[in-house]
Amino acid sequence: MAKIAILGYGTVGSGVAEVFWTNEKLIDERAGEEIRIKYVLDLRDFPGDRVEAVLTHDFSDIVNDPEVTVVAEVMGGMKPAYDFTKQCLMAGKSVCTSNKELVAAKGPELMRIAREHHVNYLYEASCGGGIPIIRAMNESLNADDLSEISGILNGTTNYILTEMTENGTDFGDALKRAQELGYAERNPEADVEGYDAQRKIAILSSIAYGKTVYYEDIHTEGISGVTPTDIEYAKKLKMKIRLLASSFREKGKYYAMVAPVLVEHTHPLYSVDGVFNAIFVKGNMLGDAMFYGSGAGKLPTASAVAADMIQAVKAGDTVLYSNWKEEEADLSPLDSSSRRFFVRVPVEKKEEAIRVFGMDAEQVNLEERPEETALITGIMTEQEFEQKAAKLGGILGRIRINM
Ligand code: NDP
Ligand code: HSE
């Protein structure tokens, strides 16, 4: 029998316990042995909850118990998660996590410590909630040279943008609902300002390219600047605004970005709504593949953590392969990457804007906003766009167009 422990009985942690309790028989069969939760660590008490039988407030109960071989770290944040994870790995326990903040910041170090102690540090739930993307990249796509990975990686912002688009919901109300549904980070600024997606694309890129992509180096913009007017323009254009996280490799250089983009109605990301996430991967043999599913929430995320724990139990002291290496991937600035831009300007600047952005810029107007006009530029580099926008001055907003 394998004994496991869960650090944190919040949204994800309570989900992990529920997965093991609900699917106990099936999991035992698939694992080839019984797996039982011996401890759940949390700061709080949970009167009347089944967890009471295994609840502890003392981490040393877990780390000092040789019977516990696999631990889920689902507390989140850096402190004390980083220290607890290291202690567990050094005590010869595999650790499985949904904590992308910790994985993005310390993943290579924690994987090295795990290897040195013949255990595993697994993090399937850190990206895309319940979507099996990490294992797919480390195992199923192992024969391919991956050159691009992109997609919708944050459920909260996708939920907010969908609510604003479909139901005209106010930004703040949509965020509040996402928090109630358990999708948002403890500090939802991480979702809204794109930092969560930034960490996820750093993790996925590190696996895809086999080098460490540091999240701090990724150009990141969130959705706090997206207005109901932008959404009205998007509707008129038969497009949707989505927070896209993307990275690609070209001629040995790496590029990565997180930003809101306009997605055309013919693009597969157009129909990714609500808490759903979608991830595209491009391989030199595979071509394109897309992974789709629930990007956040208690049980989808818990399902991924629990599957990692089962894999860790089965692996025992075998260290599982990971494509992510410690060598740094040198990210290039975005300046030279090209795309079209949607740009809003005051109506009195219309003629000048057309001169500056080029006669091929397409015009869009909203009847209810006669005081402004919007243009869709031709394809230009980020640097060209910034220079033109600075020359024109006074632009009301701009959104990249996904190509
Ligand atoms: P919650 O805040 O709901 O849960 C965290 C739990 O850990 C809380 O019960 C908290 O207790 C407890 N905890 C915090 N610090 C300690 C400590 N020192 N000792 C014991 N218990 C502690 O967060 P989530 O479950 O939503 O998220 C957990 C992790 O999973 C985060 O890294 C998050 O980014 C990630 N994640 C979340 C998803 C989601 O949909 N929610 C999806 C994918 C990943 P208390 O409340 O008393 O502080
Ligand atoms: N806050 C995150 C999201 C949780 O909304 O995507 C899943 O990682």
Side-chain angles (χ1 to χ4, degrees):
M1 181 189 295
K3 299 279 176 72
I4 61 172
I6 302 170
L7 311 183
Y9 195 67
T11 304
V12 180
S14 61
V16 174
E18 191 173 328
V19 171
F20 277 101
W21 289 331
T22 306
N23 288 346
E24 187 176 277
K25 256 184 90 180
L26 172 155
I27 288 173
D28 290 350
E29 254 173 53
R30 292 180 184 169
E33 64 181 303
E34 291 179 354
I35 301 183
R36 296 292 174 266
I37 299 170
K38 184 161 183 187
Y39 303 101
V40 172
L41 175 79
D42 205 282
L43 301 167
R44 288 172 290 161
D45 290 311
F46 300 89
D49 191 305
R50 181 174 173 179
V51 78
E52 279 191 301
V54 286
L55 189 66
T56 174
H57 300 305
D58 186 356
F59 172 66
S60 62
D61 285 347
I62 296 170
V63 75
N64 293 330
D65 187 335
E67 263 197 345
V68 173
T69 52
V70 177
V71 175
E73 185 278 290
V74 283
M75 297 185 298
M78 295 297 291
K79 273 188 189 167
Y82 175 45
D83 184 45
F84 283 5
T85 299
K86 277 203 293 194
Q87 287 194 51
C88 286
L89 294 172
M90 289 191 289
K93 303 175 196 307
S94 286
V95 177
C96 306
T97 190
S98 55
N99 185 346
K100 54 264 164 161
E101 188 179 346
L102 181 57
V103 176
K106 300 287 179 191
E109 180 197 342
L110 293 171
M111 280 185 274
R112 178 167 36 78
I113 296 174
R115 274 195 305 276
E116 287 165 2
H117 292 83
H118 305 283
V119 289
N120 288 287
Y121 182 58
L122 303 177
Y123 47 90
E124 180 64 70
S126 67
C127 297
I131 305 173
I133 179 68
I134 309 269
R135 194 165 296 121
M137 289 174 69
N138 270 327
E139 295 178 14
S140 316
L141 302 179
N142 235 344
D144 261 75
D145 185 16
L146 303 180
S147 59
E148 190 178 330
I149 179 149
S150 64
I152 295 172
L153 293 180
N154 183 269
T156 300
T157 46
N158 211 51
Y159 177 84
I160 293 171
L161 291 170
T162 304
E163 280 296 305
M164 288 173 77
T165 305
E166 304 302 324
N167 304 319
T169 313
D170 169 76
F171 186 100
D173 291 343
L175 171 58
K176 195 162 167 273
R177 185 76 188 119
Q179 289 178 294
E180 285 162 5
L181 289 165
Y183 303 157
E185 294 304 302
R186 187 161 276 228
N187 176 2
E189 193 190 1
D191 299 294
V192 167
E193 297 305 341
Y195 309 137
D196 179 74
Q198 179 191 44
R199 291 180 174 118
K200 289 168 176 168
I201 194 67
I203 294 168
L204 294 176
S205 303
S206 300
I207 302 168
Y209 311 134
K211 292 184 178 188
T212 298
V213 173
Y214 287 100
Y215 70 93
E216 305 94 319
D217 298 339
I218 299 176
H219 176 92
T220 298
E221 296 170 28
I223 65 161
S224 56
V226 175
T227 64
T229 307
D230 293 324
I231 288 178
E232 285 314 306
Y233 276 112
K235 279 185 182 168
K236 177 141 195 193
L237 289 162
K238 290 205 180 76
M239 294 187 187
K240 281 182 186 166
I241 301 172
R242 291 288 176 254
L243 185 68
L244 187 79
S246 59
S247 81
F248 63 95
R249 192 193 60 207
E250 203 175 77
K251 296 179 187 151
K253 291 187 168 180
Y254 300 88
Y255 301 84
M257 180 186 77
V258 175
V261 296
L262 278 157
V263 177
E264 310 219 32
H265 71 283
T266 48
H267 195 283
L269 289 181
Y270 183 87
S271 47
V272 178
D273 284 330
V275 73
F276 281 87
N277 284 187
I279 305 158
F280 287 97
V281 179
K282 190 186 279 299
N284 65 340
M285 299 293 134
L286 166 81
D288 292 334
M290 176 171 154
F291 299 78
Y292 173 81
S294 291
K298 172 174 164 161
L299 290 175
T301 310
S303 155
V305 177
D308 272 353
M309 295 180 87
I310 296 166
Q311 196 183 23
V313 166
K314 288 169 90 163
D317 59 6
T318 304
V319 175
L320 300 166
Y321 176 78
S322 167
N323 203 28
W324 184 348
K325 304 291 178 310
E326 289 196 48
E327 186 192 343
E328 182 176 350
D330 197 7
L331 280 190
S332 300
L334 279 183
D335 297 1
S336 56
S337 64
S338 302
R339 54 182 55 84
R340 291 185 296 152
F341 294 84
F342 164 84
V343 51
R344 286 168 52 199
V345 296
V347 72
E348 60 274 15
K349 285 203 173 244
K350 181 173 144 184
E351 300 310 324
E352 194 188 348
I354 291 174
R355 270 200 309 280
V356 169
F357 285 110
M359 299 306 283
D360 56 343
E362 189 187 316
Q363 252 193 75
V364 203
N365 295 304
L366 290 179
E367 265 171 40
E368 57 275 25
R369 296 194 70 85
E371 69 279 15
E372 64 173 70
T373 192
L375 300 175
I376 292 181
T377 71
I379 295 173
M380 61 183 68
T381 64
E382 291 270 341
Q383 192 174 32
E384 279 168 340
F385 178 83
E386 290 307 331
Q387 284 166 353
K388 288 175 195 287
K391 186 173 169 196
L392 178 67
I395 69 168
L396 302 171
R398 65 105 173 86
I399 302 178
R400 295 172 177 86
I401 298 186
N402 190 39
M403 297 183 356

